[in-house]
Amino acid sequence: MIYLDNNATTPLEPSVAEKMINFIREHFGNPSSLYPIGRKVKEMIEEAREEIAKVIGASKNEIIFTGSGTEADNFALRGILDAYPNKNEIITSSIEHPAIMSTCQYLEKKGYKVTYLPVDEYGVVDLNVLEDSITDKTALISVMHANNEIGTIQPIEEISKIAKRKGVLLHTDAVQTLGKIDVNVDKLGVDLLSISAHKIYGPKGVGALYIRKGVKICPLIHGGHQERLLRAGTENTIGIIGFGEAARIIREKGKKDLKRIEKLADMLKEGIEKNIPKVKFNGHPEKRVKSTLNFSFIGLEGEAILLALATKGIYVSTGSACSEGSEETSHVLSAIGLRPEIARSSIRFSLGRFNTEEDIKTVLKELPEIIAKLREISSFDDEL
Ligand SMILES: *Cc1c(COP(=O)(O)O)cnc(C)c1O
């Protein structure tokens, strides 16, 4: 198997799996219990929290564990609006992940005003429109750090300057950037930031929201006293332990890993551009997460390419996993101005820690043949 869909999810790092297995065998205590077997688990959760704080340059008390990156995004938006009842406006981008997009659509139905910032052909948000959209009713700006489909990195530092000048809070969805580019809450200047364990070789079903000290927010889930009363429910202990270990590995050897992954991605990009005619690269030429490569193969259906690759054991995606299976074309590719038939011809290759040079060589051997064959049977129109 050649797995090139690391933006959808990543395989579990073996040392993370080992830590989780050892943990679940030995520890069943409730972290809220006051006797030793509970205290021990609480201690281990706090160690994991410390690791996650360190990897994004935050302090431990600013991290709240959630059930997913999606929950962290929901929590940021709804929690801030609830905490500021006098404000009823949110500004976001038109290329957010469904975790933000659907939450915003829900909020609109509830009567809130949402501005969806346009992006240019590379997927970068328009800062002038952003500035003009801010009113004294704006509670929050939420713009993703990098896009999951095309990898474009947003100018979060610049957005932060505007937000600070106007006195508006700023959230970023950094689920796709942790471990891939520098994610530091102070350098970015954000008030809230979402991350997810299964995108960094950790387990599924656990995420976190960074909440800058002093920022007012209301809980999304009510119940017990867990997570400083901000996220009730007995902790996903095994998930949190795995998340902490995954974060530790990123902090300790992420940089070295990254260099290798980026080299492989460059090799794949160059190979596709050199060996396959009529392809269009989607995303920013420089301001991008290098391990994400989105290409339109003009004249074809992305799904046909995906299925043909899958028969060779090569796994890729036609866009966001969450929109797969739906007939609609990607809202991200539409937002950067692709015509529907071009958008539908797109494939996302996302590389990760476990890819090898051999993987890329195999793809570069199989893909041109697949594309040529599919174009032959689809009576590809050369005029396109
Ligand atoms: C995967 C992803 C999410 C959702 O995280 P889950 O933990 O799968 O809920 C949110 N935002 C982006 C950009 C993602 O890529």
Side-chain angles (χ1 to χ4, degrees):
M1 174 181 79
I2 297 176
Y3 184 72
L4 293 176
D5 201 12
N6 287 274
N7 285 13
T9 194
T10 52
L12 200 60
E13 169 71 36
S15 76
V16 172
E18 198 169 320
K19 187 145 183 178
M20 290 172 72
I21 291 164
N22 291 337
F23 171 82
I24 204 77
R25 282 206 179 111
E26 288 172 30
H27 303 281
F28 75 92
N30 186 324
S32 296
S33 300
L34 297 179
Y35 38 77
I37 61 163
R39 280 289 167 88
K40 176 64 191 165
V41 175
K42 175 78 182 157
E43 224 171 80
M44 293 175 84
I45 288 180
E46 294 314 308
E47 281 166 22
R49 197 188 308 278
E50 180 77 52
E51 282 301 342
I52 287 153
K54 266 194 225 163
V55 80
I56 60 169
S59 74
K60 196 169 143 292
N61 294 333
E62 296 173 312
I63 304 297
I64 298 293
F65 287 115
T66 63
S68 59
T70 301
E71 186 190 321
D73 284 345
N74 273 261
F75 181 19
L77 268 49
R78 296 170 63 183
I80 291 296
L81 284 174
D82 280 351
Y84 294 85
N86 297 331
K87 305 198 174 195
N88 60 0
E89 296 181 12
I90 281 194
I91 298 171
T92 189
S93 84
S94 48
I95 61 166
E96 296 295 311
H97 185 273
I100 293 287
M101 230 41 174
S102 303
T103 306
C104 284
Q105 286 157 7
Y106 166 81
L107 289 167
E108 280 184 291
K109 277 194 207 128
K110 288 277 168 188
Y112 292 97
K113 182 178 170 225
V114 181
T115 304
Y116 300 91
L117 299 173
V119 295
D120 65 15
E121 63 183 305
Y122 304 120
V124 180
V125 294
D126 189 322
L127 295 182
N128 293 323
V129 178
L130 168 71
E131 186 141 10
D132 291 346
S133 306
I134 299 172
T135 75
D136 54 5
K137 290 282 180 200
T138 308
L140 181 71
I141 299 167
S142 176
V143 173
M144 71 199 318
H145 194 191
N147 183 267
N148 45 302
E149 292 187 41
I150 56 176
T152 300
I153 299 168
Q154 300 297 343
I156 301 296
E157 295 92 332
E158 287 168 63
I159 295 174
S160 162
K161 280 184 199 136
I162 297 170
K164 285 207 175 89
R165 185 151 33 82
K166 301 264 189 176
V168 179
L169 293 171
L170 173 61
H171 165 255
T172 194
D173 175 339
V175 173
Q176 282 300 339
T177 48
L178 184 57
K180 296 176 187 157
I181 57 172
D182 190 30
V183 176
N184 178 292
V185 292
D186 288 336
K187 278 191 213 160
L188 290 171
V190 294
D191 301 294
L192 304 117
L193 178 143
S194 304
I195 51 178
S196 174
H198 78 103
K199 304 282 174 87
I200 61 161
Y201 312 94
K204 290 160 185 56
V206 59
L209 182 65
Y210 156 80
I211 306 165
R212 186 174 290 280
K213 189 170 184 290
V215 169
K216 262 197 311 181
I217 190 164
C218 291
L220 196 61
I221 297 180
H222 303 268
H225 286 240
Q226 296 89 355
E227 299 298 298
R228 300 190 2 256
L229 283 164
L230 286 174
R231 204 281 186 173
T234 300
E235 298 85 343
N236 172 6
T237 54
I238 185 172
I240 290 170
I241 299 307
F243 195 3
E245 177 67 4
R248 190 186 66 76
I249 292 168
I250 294 260
R251 188 168 53 81
E252 291 193 345
K253 45 184 190 198
K255 282 230 166 71
K256 207 174 130 222
D257 216 20
L258 205 59
K259 272 217 176 104
R260 197 183 60 79
I261 299 169
E262 289 183 345
K263 222 178 111 201
L264 293 180
D266 287 348
M267 183 178 151
L268 180 58
K269 182 171 187 285
E270 281 160 29
I272 290 174
E273 285 171 341
K274 196 168 137 243
N275 298 318
I276 305 178
K278 306 266 180 190
V279 294
K280 181 189 179 308
F281 177 75
N282 300 313
H284 198 282
E286 290 113 37
K287 291 175 212 148
R288 63 186 181 91
V289 168
K290 282 191 155 190
S291 54
T292 303
L293 298 173
N294 191 309
F295 278 102
S296 299
F297 296 90
I298 312 297
L300 296 178
E301 287 291 332
E303 208 162 284
I305 304 169
L306 180 152
L307 295 174
L309 283 169
T311 64
K312 306 278 182 188
I314 300 167
Y315 299 150
V316 299
S317 158
T318 52
S320 162
C322 313
S323 50
E324 218 134 314
S326 68
E327 283 296 296
E328 286 164 57
T329 58
S330 146
H331 69 289
V332 176
L333 298 178
S334 314
I336 63 170
L338 294 199
R339 292 203 310 269
E341 69 272 23
I342 307 288
R344 277 201 311 275
S345 76
S346 304
I347 289 287
R348 177 186 71 186
F349 305 87
S350 49
L351 284 72
R353 187 180 287 169
F354 300 109
N355 288 125
T356 63
E357 194 172 326
E358 209 48 50
D359 289 350
I360 304 307
K361 283 184 179 155
T362 306
V363 174
L364 287 175
K365 184 183 156 292
E366 300 288 352
L367 186 63
E369 292 170 18
I370 287 172
I371 299 297
K373 238 182 242 161
L374 287 173
R375 278 181 176 159
E376 209 178 284
I377 58 172
S378 73
S379 61
F380 175 55
D381 181 355
D382 230 11
E383 295 301 303
L384 281 169

